[in-house]
Amino acid sequence: MIGSLPMLRGLTGFNRGWLRSDIPAGLSIAAVGLPSAIAYPAIAGLPPETGIYASIVAPIAYAIFGPSRLLIVGPDAASMSVLAAAMGTIIAADPTGSGDRVAIAAALALGVGVCYIAAKLLRLGVLANFLSRPILVGFFAGVSLSILVGQIGRFTGMKIESDGLIQPLVEFLAKSSLIHWPSLIFGFSMFALLWILRFFPFRIPGPVLVVVISVVLSAIFDFRGQGIAVVGDIPRGLPSFSLPPLHEMPLDKIVTGSVAIFLVSFGSGIVAARSFASRTGDEVDANQELVGLGAANIAPGLFGSFPVSVSDSRTAINLSTGGVSQLAGLVSAAALIAVLVFLHAALRILPIPALAAILAMAAISLIDLPELRKIWRISRMEFVFALIAMWGAISFGVLNGVIVAIAATFVYLLRKTMFPRDGLLGRIEGRHGFFDLKRYPEARPVPGAAVFAVQGSILFYNADYVRIRLTSVAKELPADTKCLVLDASAITQIDSTGATALEAVAEILVNRNIIFAFADLSDESRVILERAGVIKMVGAENIFNGREEALRTLIGDIDQIGSATPASSAL
């Protein structure tokens, strides 16, 4: 295990020349990451310093164990929303309501890290493929709406107690007389500034500019004295090592919450990793990323923080500013340590409405309208599943939305395989191969025979469909048909239910004195059919290596079936 760890791979080949690129990149990462590090913890009701702690220790851990040179880890809006839901479930399970939110978040970070390491040991990097891009796009759109609604209280200065999407809006309207207008005006002013800066390139990132302006105005006009909420006390100095009191927490809910955060974190993280890798020409090893992201979550769990994921914004800054190694992540961590030590007083007076503006803009950035339009253009069915994932996150809460998104993914996969493509094949004069009779009007059936192809496995959930299709074909075959050849070249698996379905088809053909033959049957499928007695029923002599061999043997008129040159069928 230790020998397979990608330790310091992100710093492989380091030379002093990289400092000219990595130091400016690291400072830029810290500048962009600081506002989100302060703002994102609010989604889960955590103090601002936990975000800074996560932005310090997670990049250090990833620099040691992570395989990528360019990926930067840190707080992530989607993962924070799932964290908030998981924490809410755990706190609700405590009848006293005395749960320490920071300790719970740290425990979940450790749990997420353990999930990553366990997935590495089991080589489950393939899990990243189960949360498809359409599902993630829809899920993140739902999460973004949840985050936006969650900022109502921070923008208006009122306390919103309802959860969900509609109830907080209803509560807001009912309490509209309690709006603190200075907070609302200031918050929307900062949001408007962020929105404008999206369209006009500026050397200073929008969130950084908002933080600087907000702190300056807060100091000049005494926002706290004016009733505008501010961040308040932040511990000075470095995060300290501590283990969360796991024995005092409901471990079953810690486990389920950790798995949910892991799935969303890893799914979105690998999508981001692959996206950036495509720009640089690198390859993403999902199994090795499990180690790096596992370490990046365990570290915050040991230093009083929360789970993290790949940060799109920080990685984009690293790429655009010319970072070449994980030294950039280490420089960003050092810069944030300096902020904690030397800019402690400035952070204390940062207005909460400014953080709400940053969170609202981050939430809007999660809604990928161009990608939704692209999905609609490519596949209406995938667009429907994107909407299902979005609806799940909105209607059932983010934590249950994860379950809905995963369920939608599996339903989509089943939907794609429950009805495999199939069809009767024939020949076209002057051309090699076999062609679907419905797709190619010029194709003609082979006289005295039928060739039927199934493109997909025959398993318990689609065996009945395949049986009905084959039975329908078998009953409609002309009286002079000698054989029905099942082209099994695209059938990768057959289970016991599939074997029973084929046995039923064989019985119908036997009653009509028609030979049932198999062409290009895989070894695994043949073993299953032998154990089920299907091979004995049809006869071992009717198992052939290919369609041409089957037809030459069974009907014997080579001239009728054309050249024996191997060719693939066109369904």
Side-chain angles (χ1 to χ4, degrees):
M1 173 62 184
I2 298 299
S4 66
L5 293 178
M7 295 184 69
L8 299 176
R9 186 180 296 182
L11 295 168
T12 302
F14 174 78
N15 63 74
R16 291 184 180 180
W18 292 3
L19 294 173
R20 297 178 182 176
S21 300
D22 282 339
I23 290 178
L27 294 175
S28 299
I29 293 167
V32 171
L34 178 61
S36 59
I38 298 173
Y40 284 178
I43 297 175
L46 295 169
E49 66 269 14
T50 57
I52 301 178
Y53 294 165
S55 300
I56 292 172
V57 298
I60 294 174
Y62 186 86
I64 296 172
F65 294 100
S68 172
R69 291 179 179 273
L70 293 177
L71 289 183
I72 303 296
V73 295
D76 163 71
S79 298
M80 290 301 301
S81 297
V82 186
L83 171 65
M87 290 177 61
T89 301
I90 294 168
I91 292 172
D94 182 0
T96 65
S98 59
D100 183 341
R101 299 188 73 88
V102 173
I104 293 171
L108 287 168
L110 289 176
V112 172
V114 170
C115 287
Y116 273 109
I117 301 304
K120 163 61 180 175
L121 293 173
L122 297 173
R123 302 188 63 81
L124 295 181
V126 69
L127 285 174
N129 299 323
F130 281 94
L131 284 174
S132 66
R133 181 64 177 167
I135 296 295
L136 282 173
V137 170
F139 177 73
F140 289 157
V143 166
S144 70
L145 293 176
S146 299
I147 294 174
L148 285 171
V149 170
Q151 304 319 304
I152 293 176
R154 297 185 182 96
F155 271 120
T156 62
M158 67 172 63
K159 186 176 182 180
I160 300 295
E161 298 177 352
S162 303
D163 295 321
L165 184 66
I166 303 301
Q167 289 181 329
L169 296 176
V170 173
E171 183 180 351
F172 164 69
L173 293 175
K175 295 181 176 178
S176 57
S177 61
L178 302 178
I179 294 175
H180 187 255
W181 289 102
S183 297
L184 184 63
I185 293 171
F186 178 73
F188 271 101
S189 298
M190 293 300 98
F191 179 81
L193 176 60
L194 288 170
W195 188 269
I196 292 170
L197 290 175
R198 293 178 64 187
F199 304 100
F200 297 96
F202 197 69
R203 299 190 106 184
I204 302 176
V208 176
L209 192 61
V210 164
V211 168
V212 172
I213 291 175
S214 299
V215 168
V216 171
L217 292 177
S218 181
I220 294 174
F221 296 105
D222 185 19
F223 278 2
R224 188 169 189 174
Q226 300 295 328
I228 298 177
V230 296
V231 168
D233 290 334
I234 293 179
R236 185 188 298 272
L238 302 179
S240 58
F241 178 88
S242 63
L243 282 173
L246 295 173
H247 62 282
E248 299 177 1
M249 302 178 188
L251 291 183
D252 57 333
K253 290 181 172 53
I254 292 290
V255 171
T256 55
S258 298
V259 171
I261 299 168
F262 160 73
L263 288 171
V264 173
S265 171
F266 185 49
S268 62
I270 290 298
V271 167
R274 287 174 176 168
S275 175
F276 286 109
S278 66
R279 304 181 195 179
T280 60
D282 296 330
E283 291 291 333
V284 175
D285 186 337
N287 280 307
Q288 293 295 354
E289 284 295 345
L290 287 167
V291 177
L293 293 173
N297 279 280
I298 289 174
L302 296 176
F303 286 90
S305 191
F306 51 75
V308 300
S309 184
V310 174
S311 171
D312 290 358
S313 59
R314 301 182 196 203
T315 303
I317 288 294
N318 190 29
L319 192 64
S320 64
T321 53
V324 294
S325 77
Q326 282 297 324
L327 178 63
L330 297 177
V331 171
S332 73
L336 290 176
I337 290 173
V339 168
L340 272 180
V341 174
F342 300 110
L343 297 180
H344 174 267
L347 295 180
R348 292 178 64 254
I349 60 173
L350 180 62
I352 295 297
L355 298 183
I358 294 171
L359 285 172
M361 187 57 65
I364 290 175
S365 69
L366 288 176
I367 304 176
D368 195 341
L369 291 178
E371 187 66 20
L372 283 171
R373 285 194 294 266
K374 181 179 178 181
I375 294 169
W376 169 261
R377 186 173 67 251
I378 294 173
S379 171
R380 299 291 195 273
M381 181 58 68
E382 290 189 80
F383 182 80
V384 169
F385 279 105
L387 293 183
I388 290 172
M390 179 171 66
W391 168 74
I394 294 172
S395 301
F396 299 112
V398 176
L399 194 58
N400 290 329
V402 176
I403 299 173
V404 172
I406 295 171
T409 298
F410 280 102
V411 169
Y412 174 70
L413 289 174
L414 287 174
R415 175 67 176 77
K416 297 290 284 185
T417 56
M418 281 182 68
F419 307 102
R421 290 183 61 184
D422 58 48
L424 282 166
L425 306 182
R427 305 300 294 269
I428 298 177
E429 186 176 356
R431 295 177 64 180
H432 296 306
F434 289 78
F435 301 86
D436 190 336
L437 297 179
K438 289 186 176 180
R439 291 183 60 200
Y440 296 86
E442 66 273 29
R444 295 292 178 266
V446 176
V451 180
F452 190 84
V454 176
Q455 291 191 334
S457 297
I458 306 177
L459 303 172
F460 65 94
Y461 55 82
N462 67 2
D464 202 47
Y465 171 79
V466 174
R467 178 187 61 79
I468 292 171
R469 291 285 296 128
L470 276 168
T471 299
S472 175
V473 168
K475 290 180 177 179
E476 295 176 3
L477 291 176
D480 62 346
T481 302
K482 297 179 181 178
C483 63
L484 170 61
V485 177
L486 178 61
D487 179 0
S489 58
I491 299 175
T492 56
Q493 285 183 304
I494 299 175
D495 64 5
S496 60
T497 309
T500 302
L502 294 176
E503 182 180 23
V505 176
E507 288 178 356
I508 294 173
L509 293 171
V510 167
N511 291 334
R512 294 197 59 189
N513 294 318
I514 297 174
I515 297 172
F516 191 19
F518 292 85
D520 202 8
L521 187 67
S522 69
D523 292 341
E524 293 82 358
S525 297
R526 179 166 184 161
V527 169
I528 293 294
L529 295 182
E530 284 178 343
R531 292 174 179 172
V534 177
I535 300 296
K536 182 179 181 180
M537 176 180 291
V538 303
E541 69 278 7
N542 292 321
I543 309 299
F544 301 94
N545 291 326
R547 296 162 302 201
E548 289 84 358
E549 177 187 328
L551 294 172
R552 283 201 308 269
T553 303
L554 296 173
I555 65 175
D557 191 350
I558 297 178
D559 292 336
Q560 291 288 349
I561 64 173
S563 170
T565 303
S568 60
S569 61
L571 271 181

